[in-house]
Amino acid sequence: AMEVDRPPALEAQRKAHPELSELQDQLASHVGAKLYHQFTQSLFAYLASPPFKQEAAAGELVEFFDAFIKPLENKLDKVKFVQILSIVCKVQTPTKALEVIAPFEASAAKHRDSKYLWQVLRSEKLVLSGDTDTAKELLDGLHKEISEAYEVDALIQSEFHKTQAQLWKALSRPQDYYRSSISYLSFTPLPSIPAEDRPRLAFEIGCAALVAPEEFNFGELLQQDLLSALEGSEYEWVKDLLQAFGEGKFDLFDGACTKHRAKIDAAAELKQAEQTVLRPKMCALALMELAFRKPKKQRRLTFSEIADHCRVGPKEVEVLVMQAMCANLIRGQIDEVEGLVMVTWVKPRILDNSRIDLMRDGVDAWAAQAGLLLESLEDMTPELLVS
């Protein structure tokens, strides 16, 4: 092999990690040849090596960064440099990480996307250090900038929403955590989320959707590829609950609660919310489903039908319907005298196959009715249609 002139920092790395000599040679040769794009690719591969994923490597990584990577800052792509900074900071304590990234604020700010990424990185470390106020201020400003900016790279969007979700999690705001997580997933290819992190992440997002009092759209979550990570994991059971809420079926909900009782009791956020959030939410979803499955002209629901289907007492029906109307899940009128609810509109949801079939049947019935109407009109006014 050709002898490569190795900078002292790489020489120190060779002594510490002889098993990575091939990558070390690549780094030396690309730097020597001023091939900075190839150098960046090799550097990402080098920093992804097992020794640098341990917290014990924190000090060594900062030394290597200061001695070898930092002097090349002006030669490297601005966004990729912030990504490298992020990798170096991953194993640092939040305080140390903030100290490491601080000097690069001005240079990162020279380029729009690197400025965004640097601010996201700082926000993440602020959240981890417990300074959620400063982090929120920074992320709120950034949210406005990113949403008004033109063609922001998916990587930036992904990191932004991921960090915003971390902030909401730290502030115990499940509704916001869920919405930010869904945005994060929409900008993030599944392979870029480490396989070992996926089951836990799917579980946390699922729990947030369940306990968020105002979240009723489970179709969006059930369609996420990430949910396949639950299969075969210790969190697989939560999928039964999500399915019950997605379909608005009490039988599925009761079945899941019985089958997974010990697991639900062990998940504090679910246990606490079971009677106050989960059950009332299930009642509202069951009401939506009942109304949705009725043909449009027959959306007259009796109080007793609602009580039966939504598992509530006769006296609780009116409250349930009013709450569903306030949450904008259904619209219509309540006739207290007759004990009827006339539903005129049901909130749109992401539809599964059985609901699509139901709508298809509805469209077919409408088409048949329209055909009959046309025939009867033709019979009534032959001379008008001829002329």
Side-chain angles (χ1 to χ4, degrees):
M2 192 182 81
E3 193 50 46
V4 181
D5 182 30
R6 244 181 250 98
L10 268 183
E11 219 29 82
Q13 282 296 302
R14 177 176 276 274
K15 288 193 181 106
H17 308 290
E19 76 283 6
L20 301 177
S21 61
E22 200 180 316
L23 280 167
Q24 290 154 359
D25 288 346
Q26 277 181 24
L27 290 172
S29 119
H30 294 329
V31 160
K34 298 188 164 65
L35 297 169
Y36 295 113
H37 175 70
Q38 290 87 330
F39 168 76
T40 306
Q41 301 312 108
S42 296
L43 185 58
F44 278 129
Y46 189 67
L47 294 173
S49 308
F52 305 118
K53 293 188 173 174
Q54 317 300 325
E55 283 178 22
E60 180 198 346
L61 264 175
V62 171
E63 279 173 33
F64 178 56
F65 174 78
D66 285 344
F68 184 61
I69 305 170
K70 194 170 159 182
L72 297 168
E73 184 192 356
N74 293 330
K75 308 273 194 261
L76 306 180
D77 174 271
K78 292 270 181 280
V79 170
K80 290 198 163 60
F81 184 77
V82 180
Q83 283 181 271
I84 291 162
L85 201 51
S86 168
I87 295 167
V88 170
C89 288
K90 198 167 171 68
V91 291
Q92 313 297 330
T93 64
T95 314
K96 179 65 181 172
L98 285 165
E99 197 182 295
V100 171
I101 64 180
F104 300 98
E105 180 171 13
S107 56
K110 289 176 187 167
H111 176 282
R112 185 195 75 176
D113 283 4
S114 65
K115 177 185 85 169
Y116 289 164
L117 198 56
W118 183 89
Q119 289 185 336
V120 167
L121 179 59
R122 179 163 178 252
S123 304
E124 183 207 356
K125 302 308 172 191
L126 285 166
V127 171
L128 291 171
S129 71
D131 187 355
T132 49
D133 288 351
T134 313
K136 186 175 183 306
E137 202 178 314
L138 197 54
L139 288 167
D140 285 349
L142 201 49
H143 186 240
K144 189 175 186 305
E145 270 191 73
I146 288 178
S147 50
E148 288 170 2
Y150 181 66
E151 286 190 346
V152 177
D153 191 276
L155 165 85
I156 315 286
Q157 295 272 17
S158 168
E159 290 298 324
F160 169 76
H161 290 294
K162 179 183 174 183
T163 302
Q164 201 176 37
Q166 285 177 314
L167 170 72
W168 300 134
K169 186 179 164 187
L171 294 173
S172 303
R173 286 170 57 171
Q175 182 80 34
D176 294 320
Y177 170 76
Y178 174 68
R179 297 288 358 143
S180 291
S181 297
I182 289 289
S183 299
Y184 162 64
L185 294 178
S186 70
F187 286 106
T188 313
L190 192 61
S192 68
I193 302 173
E196 65 274 16
D197 296 347
R198 289 175 209 165
R200 176 80 200 164
L201 180 63
F203 175 72
E204 288 183 354
I205 295 173
C207 280
L210 290 167
V211 304
E214 289 148 39
E215 191 52 60
F216 293 92
N217 190 358
F218 286 83
E220 196 174 11
L221 176 60
L222 288 164
Q223 287 187 344
Q224 297 292 335
D225 292 340
L226 178 71
L227 253 63
S228 62
L230 291 170
E231 282 153 34
S233 79
E234 60 182 301
Y235 305 111
E236 188 169 13
W237 59 274
V238 83
K239 207 165 179 183
D240 289 345
L241 271 178
L242 294 172
Q243 206 69 50
F245 277 79
E247 295 190 28
K249 288 183 181 164
F250 246 114
D251 291 348
L252 292 179
F253 175 67
D254 287 341
C257 287
T258 307
K259 187 178 171 189
H260 306 301
R261 173 48 52 207
K263 296 268 174 61
I264 293 169
D265 288 350
E269 65 270 47
L270 292 180
K271 174 77 178 138
Q272 285 164 6
E274 190 175 351
Q275 295 306 324
T276 52
V277 180
L278 301 192
R279 204 166 177 84
K281 227 161 99 159
M282 195 64 222
C283 294
L285 286 162
L287 176 62
M288 277 176 84
E289 189 64 12
L290 177 65
F292 180 81
R293 289 190 174 275
K294 292 269 184 184
K296 199 156 190 182
K297 292 249 174 85
Q298 293 161 34
R299 283 188 177 161
R300 292 160 63 84
L301 311 177
T302 65
F303 278 20
S304 63
E305 187 180 11
I306 294 170
D308 205 34
H309 189 82
C310 302
R311 313 271 173 97
V312 292
K315 290 180 178 169
E316 294 159 358
V317 170
E318 212 172 325
V319 176
L320 168 63
V321 174
M322 285 165 78
Q323 283 171 341
M325 286 176 176
C326 287
N328 208 26
L329 302 179
I330 59 169
R331 291 182 199 145
Q333 289 88 36
I334 302 172
D335 183 338
E336 290 174 62
V337 181
E338 295 291 328
L340 282 176
V341 178
M342 276 74 76
V343 180
T344 54
W345 177 87
V346 180
K347 186 186 172 103
R349 286 184 290 172
I350 288 175
L351 303 174
D352 58 13
N353 290 341
S354 74
R355 292 200 189 93
I356 290 169
D357 288 342
L358 204 65
M359 287 194 78
R360 191 189 293 124
D361 293 344
V363 171
D364 289 346
W366 174 80
Q369 270 188 324
L372 288 169
L373 179 66
L374 185 62
E375 278 173 33
S376 65
L377 279 172
E378 284 171 342
D379 291 344
M380 284 161 61
T381 55
E383 63 286 343
L384 281 175
L385 289 171
V386 170
S387 64

